Amino acid sequence: MSAEEPHEVHLVVNGTTYDVQVPARRLLSDALRHDLGLTGTHVGCEHGVCGACTVLLDGRPVRACLLLAVTVDGHEVTTVEGLAGPDGTLSAVQEGFRQCHGLQCGFCTPGFLTTVTAGLRENPDPTHEEAREMVAGNLCRCTGYQNIVRAVERAAELGREQA
Amino acid sequence: MTTRLTGAPVQRTEDRRLLTGAGRFVDDVQVGPQTLHAAVLRSPHAHARIVDIDVDAVLDLEGVHLVWTHEDLAGVSAPLAEPLPLLIPHPALTHGRTQHALARDEVNHVGEAVAFVVADDRYVAEDAVARIRVTWEVLEPVVGLEQARAGERLVHDDVPGNVGARLEQGTADAEQMAAALEAAPHRLALDLEVERSACTPLEGRGTVARWDPDSDRLQVWTSTQTSTGVRAAVAARLGLDLGQVDVITPDVGGGFGVKINHPWPEELLVPAAARVLGRVVKFTEDRREHFVSSAHERGQLQHVEVGFDDEGRLLALDVEFWHDHGAYTPYGLIVPIITSTQLLGPYKPQLYRVVFESLYTNTTMVTPYRGAGRPQGCYAMERTMDAIAAHLGRDRTEVRAANFIQPDEFPYDQGLVFQDGRELEYDSGDYPALLEKAKALVGWDEFETFRAEMAAEGRRVGIGLACYVEGTGVGPYEGAHVHVETSGKVKVATGLTTQGQGHQTVFAQLVADELGCRFEDVEVVTGDTRRMPYAVGTFASRAAVMSGSAIHLAAKRTKEKALRIAADALEADEADLEIVEGSVRVKGSPGSAIDLGTVAVLSNPLRYAFDEASKAATQFSVGDPGRPPVAEDDEPGLEGKDFYSPERATFASGIHAVVVETDPDTAEVTILKYAVVHDCGTLVNPMIVEGQIHGGVAQGVAGALFERMAYDESGQLLNASFMDFLMPYVTEVPDGIDIDHQETPSPLNPLGIKGAGEAGVIPSAAVFAAAIEDAEGIRVTRMPMSPSDLFHLRTDQRQEPTS
């Protein structure tokens, strides 16, 4: 039996260009984790429901477990590793989660952070209901979401202070 | 003066890594092309005999390195072919059964491991699994408790009636109970049911192993709640000395009980393959595998008979229940034993008798899930309390108050044997005070006004309340090691694992408070057998009680040594010294001080001056030349090690209350208010405790209103995905949980701590059943309650919506 035909893919992840050889069926989540070693993106269900693998594709949140790596050739991907500043300063969203105890085990957290980052770009001043809606597509089994919603509201505050 | 950290909402030190993608979960370990990946062929049948397994089509697949069926295991290591261990044997478990690492002749549930493949990546490994051909003789399965009880079909041929265990205990025998029930002024009987749910952490199971031939050692990373247990099991089954196996538990993406069971088949197969192949091997469970091949909990049928007086006081409580333990019993009878003993909650019936049968079914096995049997017990007791109140026409809180153990009655012996084999004796508590807080927090006394206002708008609301106690901090022990480096940094190791409960922060708080070092200087390592080889694990809300106490004691020993050495160096009396901000100083004379790091230098006389610190510690500069450099009863180094082993469990307690609205048309249940009062003794970090409550309540809401394991009659789990198993999103949990704390310190440990990890989930089924019943005016005996369940219940009880 022969190995699968490899495809060359150029991925721009967190501002760095990577050239990788992947089979056509390789998931973006697996390419990020196993080929690029960016293990911050987590896989919780592999069917697009939990949202742990959410990354930003050209700035918009997508489920990395539902995309094939070959389909994002040349596109910009932002993972959780790309959210903090170059000097390591936490982004407003990361800081909001830190201050509000918005994480426990931390496994789903990267997906929440990327989702909220995109959400607050679109709506920097969400109401309480909008803050809840912003995270309503991601599953967390630890926090009961109470502090995640607070974290979104705090991140919005921090974002406005920084603006 | 340093502020005391115990009791303060200290921000978590573990968060930065997790927020920046720098966490290390098990699948993040050994990432790269050198690592091989495993996949498992799992049974598609609930009950079948294996006639033949043909792996020929796999062997020529490029990228496949190894294929094993049961036949191959004995050749790797004889014990690997034996059934997996029964971890907690109990005399009442007369017919305990465990699975093999790979099924031998028969499978007993969908998802049971049948063959194991290792390949270049998971994709190829799954291709290979798909090519294995098994010839099955399909057998009739036993699905559900009713079929198990009927005993017409058997899960295991040699287990009559599918009964794995029958256990009875109590303060009365059957005859005394019958007489007491007969004599009671009032008597009621209830038939109750709770369905299955599951822990479903976002990270499933996973194991990575590396065999190092140069040091003859095996390194295993695994997502477990019990590193030392996995280590012992791997060593035993692979024929290695304990000293040859290191188990490291990195970040764990949630456990909630399911990662307590060990070893999983893959925890043995992955290390075995790594050793045989001389390559790193990794197994990462996928979501469907987690649903069918890990573990579930909760499923029980219950029958309660109760006799009581005019005040609602329990004169005789007779409980019989049937527990569905699935296909195997690797974790023994822990879950039903907890149900049977924790059922009494904060109450003191005059007589209690409980008997349960733990039954086999051809479904995924049952091991503890957050709360571990307590939600079912609480459900039985609290449904009974509500039924008594309804029968007598009394307020539900009055009936509860009439049965409470009073604050001056502690310690209170319930006359039963608890899950740890010790007497069920409650250590401390104040239940009447909890009830007052709960009523105030939820607005119990004002509810009828609210109900009337809502009714005027055509809206239907109900209120429910449920009380619990939780035996937490069970033994046998935990240990800790505290080591002050010459830099002044303090390294702390404890053997139990962490799954997101903030242990690094909480344990550092305890060390900083006791040792007097800076909080920022403390680094805590958990679940690494190289750092602390003696440990039990993280479950039963025991981490803060057990490891917290051990860490406190170890820090105390370290402090004693630091003061002894510093007293010599400062030529002062130990009693006159204090340690503040990492500096040992003479009280009232801050100029006369010595850093803990320097004390560490002085504690270790050296021969070689390999750096500046060690230069100060050579035998030529430290100590009295008239005495040996290390005294006879001393050891070099500024360290302290200690273990904590309690006489018995501590007992946390609490009350949950909920206000719900039920939709007259759609039968949807909306949560209007959720209130929690709880008592976990001394609060170490209220922010973290509240986080635990939030998470527990969400899991409780899930179990009460959404989650169930939908098995069909052939034993297929129909909802083995997050698309179909309805785990709550933010939209399904209360928007705000009102919490009030009460602290009655435990007399059993030096810090007065009781566990808090599971409390949030224990009263959920009971409290929602009560509130829905109150809103609808119909009896609720079966949980969870989905909208269609409620709709059918209305129809069945002929209470059509009136709007």
Side-chain angles (χ1 to χ4, degrees), chain A residues 6-132:
Chain A
H7 299 262
E8 178 147 332
V9 180
H10 307 277
L11 294 172
V12 185
V13 184
N14 305 327
T16 305
T17 304
Y18 298 85
D19 296 324
V20 289
Q21 303 272 328
V22 293
R25 63 176 172 169
R26 193 121 172 119
L27 297 173
L28 176 59
S29 51
D30 285 342
L32 292 169
R33 294 178 49 78
H34 297 282
D35 297 314
L36 308 187
L38 294 170
T39 54
T41 299
H42 297 147
V43 179
C45 69
E46 273 191 300
H47 50 266
V49 180
C50 77
C53 68
T54 307
V55 299
L56 303 181
L57 185 67
D58 299 328
R60 300 184 70 84
V62 295
R63 305 291 210 227
C65 77
L66 294 183
L67 279 174
L68 299 171
V70 290
T71 64
V72 301
D73 186 29
H75 289 271
E76 299 258 353
V77 176
T78 305
T79 69
V80 66
E81 287 94 340
L83 297 183
D87 62 348
T89 311
L90 296 182
S91 72
V93 175
Q94 289 168 313
E95 189 57 33
F97 273 72
R98 193 186 74 78
Q99 289 180 12
C100 298
H101 187 31
L103 62 153
Q104 288 183 23
C105 79
F107 190 82
C108 69
T109 308
F112 275 94
L113 295 173
T114 48
T115 302
V116 175
T117 299
L120 288 178
R121 270 188 208 142
E122 204 167 285
N123 178 8
D125 192 12
T127 62
H128 179 68
E129 263 320 300
E130 287 167 344
R132 277 169 64 88

Side-chain angles (χ1 to χ4, degrees), chain B residues 247-326:
Chain B
V247 172
I248 304 151
T249 302
D251 290 320
V252 172
F256 314 114
V258 68
K259 293 175 185 174
I260 190 180
N261 193 59
H262 63 276
W264 295 100
E266 299 83 0
E267 280 175 329
L268 299 178
L269 297 169
V270 166
R275 194 177 177 203
V276 166
L277 295 170
R279 296 275 297 271
V280 176
V281 178
K282 177 184 288 187
F283 167 73
T284 304
E285 184 182 59
D286 74 22
R287 188 48 56 185
R288 183 179 151 72
E289 285 183 299
H290 186 79
F291 272 102
V292 297
S293 65
S294 61
H296 305 158
E297 213 227 271
R298 304 284 197 250
Q300 281 182 6
L301 295 174
Q302 305 169 333
H303 179 75
V304 180
E305 300 223 2
V306 61
F308 49 98
D309 66 14
D310 294 339
E311 310 296 314
R313 275 189 292 261
L314 299 167
L315 304 176
L317 180 64
D318 196 21
V319 178
E320 188 169 13
F321 70 92
W322 297 267
H323 175 76
D324 177 357
H325 64 221

Side-chain angles (χ1 to χ4, degrees), chain B residues 449-470:
Chain B
T449 312
F450 177 69
R451 194 201 303 270
E453 285 166 14
M454 296 299 274
E457 293 176 27
R459 296 170 68 181
R460 192 181 292 183
V461 295
I463 191 167
L465 172 141
C467 310
Y468 68 91
V469 301
E470 180 192 1

